Structure formats: C-alpha cells, structure tokens
Amino acid sequence: MSDTVIGTAEGLSDNGAVVPTLSPKESMAVAIAHDLRDGEWVEVGANLPVPRAGALLAHLSHGPNMTVMLAMTKVNLFDEPVVEDFEFITDPRARRWAEAYYPHDRLLSDMRFRRRGVFFCGGIQVDAYGNSNLIGTGEDYGRLKFRGPGGIGTCNATVHNGRYHLVTTSHDPRVLVERCDYVSALGYGDGSQGIRERHGLPYGGPSSIITPLCVFTFGPDRRAVLSSVHPGTTIDEVVERTGFTFEISDTCGETPGPTPRELEILRTRIDRNGALQ
C-alpha cells in the first residue's frame, strides 16, 4: 500500500484561502458535530472534552432544538456566549443553565424512552466489531493486567439510546484490538447476523468509531470499515496503528472540516481553555 496522504493539516484551498490547522481532537469534535441533527437528545456522558465539544458545536451551529445533557443538567445553550467547561459531570455550577437537573438514577432509568437519543461510549479497548471494554485487560479476570473503571453506565446507555458512537482519544494497537478481552458494552458481538436482536437489544449497534486519526463505520458484515481520515493522516498510518484489519470504503477521503463559523464557535465559545489542543 502506498503512503497516501488524504489531507494536509494546513495549506491553501483551491480558491487560495488559508486552511486552518486542526488538532486531532478538534477534527474528532467536528466529525461528531456533523453527524448530529437538530431535535436529538444528546448524552455527553462523563463530560469528556471531545464528545462535549462535538455535541455543543452541533447545538450552537445548527441544532437550536437539540436537548443536551451536560453535567447532569438538561440544557439549551444556543444563545450562551461562552460555555464553561467543568472537570466533573456532577459539578453543581452547571445548574445555572439547567432547564432540568437529574438525579443519577433518574437519568439512567429514563434512557429507555430515548429513541432519538445519541450517546458517546469510550473504552480501554474497542474491537473490530464495535464492542468496547472498560473492565480491564488480561486473561485472568481475578488478576487483571490493567483494571479499568468498570461499565460506568455505558452498557445501559448504549442499549437504550437510539444510536451511539465509540470515541477514543488514543489510536493505538493496544486500544483498537481484534477482540476485546472483556465486553462492557456490546457492539456487534462476533459479527454474526442478528446478535443484538437475540439478546433483546432494542436498537442497532454503534454507528462509528471516531479516533484522533480517522473515522470507522461498519460494513454489511458488521466489521469496521475505514470511512475517512483526518487532515494530515495517511492510510498507511491508520493501518500501522490499528490492531485489527479492515476494509477501506470506496468513498474514503478526508474527514470534512469545519466551516469558518463552526471553527469560530468551537474556539471562542466552547473550547476557550484549549482542552482540544
């Protein structure tokens, strides 16, 4: 395979305009935002910087009627000039924006009604069939080589929201593996037809895997397919740094970047402290 560069991090467009340099995390946030639609209920989960920025970018740029769950609050921030970020999902300062504030058990129990809900799930391992692992790594469950935080609600959230994305800020063969050592959130299992239906899961598996290098979607065999690569990334780099083999989509190209307005919103209203840099 040739070392094909799909995009460049900085340069000139066809009309001579300067193309801004995007960090890998900014590219991830933009990819998330472009997938979200007005009117959806979006779960930011643990208030991690990348999903948070992507959800807010969609909300502030094209989704005034989106419902965003941010730091345990149901919010509409479309006219908010700057959205302060908090380290913890339970930070009470977020209540100043709240249309509603949810106790944790109520937030989880209400997920079963969210057909239009979107969730973002991480993992210390994510495999070729979209399963994710937050439990730990190693063959012996009683003596793990590395212990993760546990499922932390991802099993529930990935089942009851209408769709979800897998998001990892580390593109590494130890993270993107052929098969997870343990599964805390079921994707497409072993890839067999109807596996989610056999387990009584109401909605489909993950829509994509979004990493600092690229976006994977899932093919008819429910296995990851390279859909796009972020600016400055080569296909060879994705192959080298992924622990599973994958097909490349016929339409694989550069992950679409932000419009000038989206970039301004991202850097001046959402990420003024540079968490994505």
Side-chain angles (χ1 to χ4, degrees), residues 55-170:
L56 289 176
L57 180 57
H59 177 42
L60 300 181
S61 63
H62 63 264
N65 301 302
M66 287 172 57
T67 298
V68 180
M69 288 300 302
L70 189 68
M72 306 302 291
T73 64
K74 173 186 171 184
V75 297
N76 187 305
L77 301 168
F78 191 73
D79 295 318
E80 190 72 19
V82 178
V83 185
E84 181 182 358
D85 56 337
F86 301 121
E87 183 176 0
F88 300 110
I89 190 172
T90 53
D91 196 310
R93 290 174 294 174
R95 287 181 297 184
R96 69 176 183 268
W97 300 320
E99 295 180 343
Y101 191 83
Y102 287 77
H104 193 258
D105 59 341
R106 169 76 183 280
L107 181 64
L108 292 176
S109 66
D110 282 359
M111 283 183 182
R112 65 185 184 275
F113 303 117
R114 291 183 198 150
R115 179 179 293 274
R116 291 182 58 81
V118 185
F119 183 69
F120 304 97
C121 179
I124 56 177
Q125 290 179 324
V126 175
D127 72 24
Y129 290 104
N131 305 297
S132 65
N133 170 21
L134 281 168
I135 296 170
T137 61
E139 296 181 0
D140 183 357
Y141 183 78
R143 194 181 296 272
L144 296 171
K145 292 181 179 179
F146 177 83
R147 184 177 298 278
I152 56 173
T154 58
C155 179
N156 189 67
T158 56
V159 167
H160 290 300
N161 281 283
R163 61 195 178 93
Y164 71 97
H165 300 273
L166 296 162
V167 178
T168 174
T169 55
S170 179

Side-chain angles (χ1 to χ4, degrees), residues 153-237:
T154 58
C155 179
N156 189 67
T158 56
V159 167
H160 290 300
N161 281 283
R163 61 195 178 93
Y164 71 97
H165 300 273
L166 296 162
V167 178
T168 174
T169 55
S170 179
H171 194 126
D172 184 280
R174 295 172 298 180
V175 176
L176 297 168
V177 297
E178 176 63 31
R179 294 297 298 270
C180 289
D181 291 349
Y182 307 94
V183 174
S184 51
L186 181 69
Y188 297 106
D190 59 2
S192 60
Q193 181 71 35
I195 187 169
R196 293 183 65 85
E197 291 80 0
R198 290 197 299 274
H199 284 82
L201 305 183
Y203 305 119
S207 298
S208 69
I209 307 171
I210 301 172
T211 86
L213 299 184
C214 66
V215 177
F216 292 102
T217 53
F218 293 90
D221 61 354
R222 292 157 293 284
R223 189 176 176 91
V225 175
L226 183 62
S227 179
S228 70
V229 298
H230 302 331
T233 300
T234 68
I235 292 176
D236 280 358
E237 184 179 5

